[in-house]
Amino acid sequence: NPDFPALPARLRRLALALLIVGPLAAAHATQPIPAFAEVKAGAAPSVAVLLARDGTPLAERRVNPRVRRLEWVGLPHLSPALKEALLAAEDKRFFEHSGVDWRAFAGSLWHNLWYDRKRGASTLSMQLAGLLDPELALGRGGMPRRSLGQKWDQALAAQALEARWTKEQILEAYLNLAPFRGDLQGVHAAARALFGKSPTELGRAESLILAVLLRGPNARPEHVAQRACVLAERINAPAA
């Protein structure tokens, strides 16, 4: 290509991709960001519970067969151990960036340019943008997941999200909307189904497991345990 005569083939492809994807990404990023209250109101439980007069559960029935989601849980009622494990596993500079960890983002692009085993750099804000907009979570137009265009769209949407929401709202929404395992959506359903606990009662061991499930929701139990131990060592915490 005469426009890039001195660049290696991989760098030429990256430059061309940036030229092609840039305008499309900018156009998509103009989509409105929903209000936090709107997202919270829309995350209705998928289970209807019949209560006795004293509030004791008598029976329950699934009203959404595709997902198991319980009541939304506010950030103050989430286990501190869970929040610590989540940030260590997914976004250690969450409170420092404005939606995109550009240091990790650039490192990921460079790594993926040269190596077949891909490495992600999505912040919690970018991941939440994908949960709020399916077009940012899945490949579009036949493109694979985690394409350059998708990452760029996620980055722009994450910055727009942080301009409208607080960090606390982003963290709360992420933990209430993220898929954990099978049809379990949100930390309330995951904590209840996997450990028989409320999100407030989660200890360090359960929190480590839930944090690593976010990266591989349906990983084999032995792999989940191994990753939880690695995460425990990373944050200098006992695994049990």
Side-chain angles (χ1 to χ4, degrees):
N1 189 319
D3 293 329
F4 305 102
L7 294 178
R10 287 177 181 264
L11 290 181
R12 289 203 303 271
R13 287 198 296 271
L14 176 60
L16 288 171
L18 287 171
L19 289 175
I20 294 170
V21 169
L24 296 177
H28 184 81
T30 60
Q31 297 298 317
I33 299 296
F36 173 77
E38 177 185 348
V39 172
K40 181 177 179 179
S46 65
V47 178
V49 181
L50 177 64
L51 301 176
R53 290 188 175 183
D54 62 357
T56 304
L58 297 177
E60 65 175 46
R61 181 176 181 180
R62 292 283 293 270
V63 295
N64 185 340
R66 294 177 300 174
V67 64
R68 182 173 179 82
R69 182 173 56 232
L70 299 181
E71 291 82 3
W72 186 283
V73 181
L75 195 61
H77 301 291
L78 293 172
S79 163
L82 175 62
K83 289 180 277 189
E84 178 189 37
L86 170 66
L87 295 178
E90 294 295 314
D91 194 349
K92 61 183 179 181
R93 288 187 284 270
F94 174 69
F95 286 102
E96 301 171 19
H97 62 65
S98 58
V100 183
D101 186 341
W102 289 110
R103 189 193 319 173
F105 191 82
S108 174
L109 286 180
W110 183 256
H111 175 94
N112 296 342
L113 188 65
W114 295 104
Y115 299 99
D116 292 331
R117 186 174 181 179
K118 304 305 180 184
R119 187 175 73 187
S122 295
T123 63
L124 290 180
S125 303
M126 292 172 67
Q127 293 179 51
L128 179 58
L131 294 172
L132 297 177
D133 185 348
E135 288 193 15
L136 297 178
L138 300 174
R140 303 188 303 279
M143 297 194 311
R145 291 177 66 97
R146 300 183 183 277
S147 67
L148 180 61
Q150 176 204 15
K151 284 293 186 183
W152 189 251
D153 282 350
Q154 280 187 329
L156 295 177
Q159 289 186 309
L161 183 65
E162 294 236 3
R164 185 170 188 185
W165 292 22
T166 67
K167 288 285 189 180
E168 289 73 19
Q169 288 174 334
I170 291 171
L171 191 58
E172 180 178 314
Y174 178 83
L175 282 168
N176 278 279
L177 297 176
F180 280 89
R181 195 168 188 86
D183 63 351
L184 298 173
Q185 184 185 76
V187 66
H188 195 171
R192 185 66 64 189
L194 298 179
F195 307 114
K197 293 184 175 183
S198 71
T200 306
E201 299 170 321
L202 290 171
R204 194 172 297 277
E206 296 98 345
S207 297
L208 290 168
I209 291 172
L210 289 179
V212 299
L213 280 177
L214 290 166
R215 188 66 59 93
N218 296 311
R220 297 174 62 179
E222 58 268 28
H223 293 161
V224 173
Q226 181 182 22
R227 292 169 185 169
C229 289
V230 171
L231 178 59
E233 292 179 357
R234 188 189 310 170
I235 62 178
N236 194 28

